[in-house]
Amino acid sequence: MKKILLSATAIVVAGAFALTGCSSERGGTPAASGGSAKGFAADAKIGVALPDKTSENWVLAGKLFTDGLTKAGFKPDVQYAPASNTVAEQQNQIQAMVTGGAKVIIIGAKDGKQLSTQVKAAHDAGATVIAYDRLIENTDAVDYYVAFDNFKVGQLQGQALLDGLAKRAGHPAPYNIELFSGSADDANSAVFFKGAMDVLEPKIKDGTLKVVSGQTEITQTATDGWKAENAQRRMDALLTANYSSATIDGVLSPNDTLARAIITSVQQAGKPVPVVTGQDSEVESVKSIMEGVQYSTINKDTTLLVAQAIKMAQELQKGDKVDVNDTKSYNNGVKVVPSFLLAPVIVTKENAAEAYANVPNLLDVVKSYNK
Ligand code: BGC
């Protein structure tokens, strides 16, 4: 157990070091540390506003927040934005948390650009606002950001695509690829895509990679609402228009839900499955990876991220300084938000057992294939 804990710490610490050198592109001047709470009651109400359940990580986060905050002595108020009327409902939920006297409001934004009014109201009421996983944009009323380093996620996905092509395409470059990105209303989508293009663009320029459709702009690659059916529909259209005779060798997919939709599209078209990336370590995708179908995913252990957010709430409760490890990378358009960034880990069939050493349910999945 001790060894497991140590290695988890080592990953986080190594990530923190790795992060200090790589973020000048997203830089800016450090903001003054936010946080309006000067300590508050140990059994205070803590609001957690999560988006609609577009991937397994969100489903898991809700339960972990309820359990973890309760165990820490707080009164949790955990709400999900419903699938319809999502933005307005999330706005209402946050406003209700403010009115209800929450001392800290942790927000996984449905649309990071549409919460300025609610987070300002939170501030005016003396609450501290923590953006969770997704940045809240264009407001100075967000105090902290806790997330896996999204730019690094994109870079790892780009590199996995290149590595996978070299291993699996069965022929030398050039490789035919297509690019997908996430929903435009999620601030993460552009960051994932920029990170991936940081790795892929030079290879597109030098001819190693060929985006056969020519669709390389984020406006062309976006997947509305992070919905599987939208990715599948776009992939169907790309195959029909560009791959009647050509072979598709690889697809950049920003997460596992979309990766599986893209793979389904290719399979239904009767074509060999290309190298497809992913993110989130969803059980179905881990199985697919172990079966040699999906190529890669990313391990962003939700348990660690929720624990870090709860730790921030505890620091605020005590009136302690909030622990952050990055004050230059995440500019929300108005300020650089002091952040605690965790390090994402790339997972392929080769390193799955090692990558999930601390994630028991996924380790069991991997072991069931490695018997
Ligand atoms: C999260 C991803 C997730 C996506 C869709 C993003 O903001 O960072 O982990 O796959 O939302 O739910």
Side-chain angles (χ1 to χ4, degrees), residues 113-191:
K113 287 191 178 65
Q114 297 205 53
L115 294 177
S116 318
T117 308
Q118 291 70 33
V119 296
K120 184 174 180 304
H123 254 219
D124 291 349
T128 300
V129 175
I130 301 174
Y132 170 87
D133 189 289
R134 299 174 172 178
L135 194 54
I136 299 172
E137 298 173 281
N138 301 334
T139 169
D140 63 3
V142 49
D143 299 294
Y144 301 102
Y145 181 41
V146 56
F148 281 89
D149 186 11
N150 302 303
F151 191 77
K152 183 75 189 165
V153 166
Q155 288 179 315
L156 291 172
Q157 290 172 330
Q159 191 56 49
L161 183 60
L162 287 180
D163 295 347
L165 287 167
K167 273 191 214 146
R168 286 201 187 164
H171 63 84
Y175 303 117
N176 292 339
I177 65 160
E178 294 298 334
L179 308 170
F180 281 70
S181 54
S183 192
D185 54 10
D186 174 358
N188 284 352
S189 299
V191 186

Side-chain angles (χ1 to χ4, degrees), residues 219-235:
T219 47
Q220 300 171 305
T221 58
T223 310
D224 193 37
W226 285 102
K227 288 202 173 102
E229 64 258 35
N230 292 337
Q232 192 167 335
R233 196 176 314 119
R234 176 163 177 258
M235 192 67 211

Side-chain angles (χ1 to χ4, degrees), residues 54-57 256-257 260 280-286 297:
T54 43
S55 43
E56 270 173 23
N57 51 329
D256 286 347
T257 309
R260 296 194 302 276
D280 294 333
S281 295
E282 297 200 337
V283 173
E284 285 312 307
S285 282
V286 173
T297 184

Side-chain angles (χ1 to χ4, degrees), residues 38-80:
K38 299 256 182 313
F40 49 79
D43 64 349
K45 192 188 256 188
I46 309 288
V48 181
L50 297 172
D52 46 338
K53 301 172 184 174
T54 43
S55 43
E56 270 173 23
N57 51 329
W58 296 114
V59 179
L60 188 57
K63 189 182 162 9
L64 290 169
F65 270 119
T66 304
D67 293 352
L69 287 167
T70 305
K71 206 167 155 220
F74 296 119
K75 291 191 194 75
D77 176 10
V78 179
Q79 304 284 339
Y80 280 99

Side-chain angles (χ1 to χ4, degrees), residues 276-313:
V276 183
T277 61
Q279 164 174 211
D280 294 333
S281 295
E282 297 200 337
V283 173
E284 285 312 307
S285 282
V286 173
K287 287 183 187 164
S288 175
I289 288 171
M290 295 315 291
E291 282 159 14
V293 182
Q294 186 175 325
Y295 180 70
S296 65
T297 184
I298 303 271
N299 185 21
K300 303 195 305 183
D301 188 341
T302 306
T303 313
L304 296 181
L305 194 60
V306 169
Q308 191 63 42
I310 294 176
K311 182 169 170 271
M312 280 187 177

